[in-house]
Amino acid sequence: MASLNLGYWVQSYSMSNQVSSISKSFPLPRSLPFNPLTTQSSSTLKKVNFTSLPSITSVLTKEDIVKEEEQDPQKSSFDFNSYMLQKASAVNQALESAVSLRDPVKIHEAMRYSLLAGGKRVRPVLCLAACALVGGRESMAMPAACAVEMIHTMSLIHDDLPCMDNDDLRRGKPTNHKVFGEDIAVLAGDALLAFAFEHIAVSTVGVSPSRIVRAIGELAKAIGGEGLVAGQVVDIISEGLTDVGLDHLEFIHVHKTAALLEAAVVLGAIVGGGCDEEVEKLRKFARCIGLLFQVVDDILDVTKSSKELGKTAGKDLVADKVTYPKLMGIQKSKEFAEKLKTDAIELLQGFDPAKAAPLIALANYIAYRQN
């Protein structure tokens, strides 16, 4: 578990009072009527007014956090580090068991190489936390949590291929195709994608068949031509464009990044027995933190080194990709991240505070992570 870098998270609601004056011109992420697949011009996109925004730092330093904790050590009794270590360990054990080394050995070696390479396990932990929030047991959501991580790993394997981002480093290790070759890497991703759905279908226990089917449908939609793939396609065809606006960029990241984080939370709520109102409230929460994850990722890509990130830094700039810092600048991107975090936490009001504590802490962690 040494790969978990949890030293930079902050306590719940640590900056919520500082952002009350942020302009409401930062909208909640949404399913966009705007379709960049057919509309490339940004001349008709909604403009966002940032002139009235105060200066707020969203990616804090370690020193800032230590100072804040010293000032208010009793702010929260929830031990986020211990929670993440325990949940990530449980997820790792479940993944290890689910994808065992068997014939044909080569493909399973490739699947396990990337799936068990470490990582923060944010998506599966979100799934488990959402399940607990609505009254479910961890065992009910573990297959879904593992499935989300399998699909996330598939997306990373395929992202790194020469025909996509052409990356040599992932989680501090050579990328899958560098170790096993492009052909096996493609197939390893395909196998993880297929097995994710099989795993939910055959390994979920204590959940009604109707909820299992609903969860499978939710996950399929999140990663298909109206979800993750849509975001990937628009991201690819947007490289080098000079007339891309914020709505266009939001479409990319709501689909490419936020969709799978949203699915993780929604799946947890569904298999945990949540009512429709709870599921939809958690969907909105997840969409905020999903977009937040990408905004912070864009910031880190231009402010951190490859060693700090465990992957190639500055690759978006080299590929001339559209990012939030490119359109808004780093400071305004940080302000937007802070607003998304605050909106996400507000959406958890009305739930049991003790059960919501992990999701609040995860929102903070996503906002303040350093890699």
Side-chain angles (χ1 to χ4, degrees):
M1 296 310 299
S3 61
L4 278 170
N5 180 9
L6 301 176
Y8 297 96
W9 78 284
V10 296
Q11 300 286 354
S12 305
Y13 299 103
S14 61
M15 297 180 68
S16 59
N17 291 331
Q18 299 180 37
V19 297
S20 59
S21 62
I22 285 185
S23 170
K24 295 301 182 181
S25 58
F26 282 132
L28 279 172
R30 61 200 181 282
S31 296
L32 299 175
F34 166 72
N35 185 356
L37 288 169
T38 57
T39 307
Q40 288 300 319
S41 173
S42 63
S43 60
T44 61
L45 302 183
K46 182 172 67 176
K47 304 300 180 182
V48 181
N49 176 21
F50 305 112
T51 57
S52 63
L53 294 173
S55 176
I56 297 173
T57 300
S58 188
V59 182
L60 300 182
T61 65
K62 184 175 183 179
E63 290 73 19
D64 291 333
I65 296 162
V66 169
K67 184 183 298 183
E68 180 178 321
E69 290 174 344
E70 287 175 349
Q71 291 173 349
D72 192 1
Q74 302 300 321
K75 184 170 291 185
S76 173
S77 61
F78 179 70
D79 187 344
F80 179 61
N81 282 19
S82 295
Y83 177 86
M84 283 297 292
L85 289 170
Q86 188 270 320
K87 296 301 180 186
S89 177
V91 169
N92 287 333
Q93 291 176 26
L95 290 170
E96 170 80 34
S97 176
V99 185
S100 59
L101 193 58
R102 53 188 182 271
D103 288 330
V105 172
K106 178 63 72 174
I107 191 64
H108 289 93
E109 282 181 339
M111 292 164 68
R112 287 167 58 86
Y113 175 81
S114 294
L115 185 64
L116 305 178
K120 297 173 281 291
R121 307 303 191 200
V122 169
R123 291 161 187 81
V125 175
L126 281 167
C127 184
L128 299 179
C131 177
L133 180 60
V134 298
R137 301 183 305 278
E138 182 176 296
S139 61
M140 299 164 71
M142 187 60 79
C146 289
V148 169
E149 190 67 7
M150 291 174 196
I151 290 173
H152 174 55
T153 302
M154 172 277 297
S155 73
L156 299 182
I157 293 173
H158 286 179
D159 269 355
D160 293 334
L161 289 168
C163 63
M164 296 286 282
D165 289 347
N166 193 23
D167 218 328
D168 298 338
L169 189 67
R170 174 69 66 179
R171 291 172 174 169
K173 300 171 63 176
T175 47
N176 196 288
H177 69 275
K178 286 293 181 180
V179 177
F180 297 95
E182 293 179 37
D183 47 3
I184 297 298
V186 169
L187 294 171
D190 293 345
L192 285 168
L193 176 61
F195 185 62
F197 292 100
E198 177 187 342
H199 191 57
I200 295 179
V202 305
S203 300
T204 304
V205 295
V207 180
S208 69
S210 63
R211 284 186 176 269
I212 295 174
V213 171
R214 181 180 173 190
I216 290 173
E218 185 79 35
L219 184 56
K221 184 176 181 179
I223 64 172
E226 296 181 0
L228 186 152
V229 171
Q232 288 276 28
V233 168
V234 177
D235 189 27
I236 290 170
I237 65 177
S238 299
E239 290 182 15
L241 295 181
T242 59
D243 60 346
V244 175
L246 286 169
D247 276 355
H248 186 116
L249 182 59
E250 184 180 309
F251 180 96
I252 293 172
H253 293 318
V254 162
H255 293 78
K256 179 182 175 181
T257 303
L260 191 55
L261 279 133
E262 179 181 324
V265 173
V266 171
L267 261 62
I270 290 172
V271 299
C275 67
D276 289 347
E277 182 180 356
E278 291 172 326
V279 169
E280 292 311 308
K281 195 169 184 180
L282 286 171
R283 184 189 302 279
K284 292 177 182 177
F285 161 83
R287 191 162 297 183
C288 282
I289 64 169
L291 188 55
L292 169 63
F293 192 98
Q294 186 61 52
V295 175
V296 172
D297 220 43
D298 284 356
I299 295 168
L300 294 176
D301 188 63
V302 295
T303 59
K304 297 293 180 180
S305 67
S306 297
K307 182 178 180 180
E308 290 172 308
L309 294 177
K311 59 183 179 180
T312 306
K315 63 181 182 179
D316 291 340
L317 185 63
V318 172
D320 200 19
K321 286 193 174 185
V322 185
T323 66
Y324 281 96
K326 183 177 180 180
L327 288 187
M328 302 167 64
I330 292 177
Q331 185 58 37
K332 292 295 189 292
S333 297
K334 291 178 177 180
E335 292 165 6
F336 185 33
E338 183 64 32
K339 180 65 165 62
L340 287 167
K341 189 229 34 169
T342 303
D343 287 341
I345 290 174
E346 287 178 352
L347 285 163
L348 295 177
Q349 293 180 3
F351 288 104
D352 182 333
K355 290 183 178 180
L359 289 176
I360 294 172
L362 277 159
N364 278 309
Y365 171 68
I366 290 170
Y368 305 125
R369 64 194 175 94
Q370 299 294 306
N371 61 17

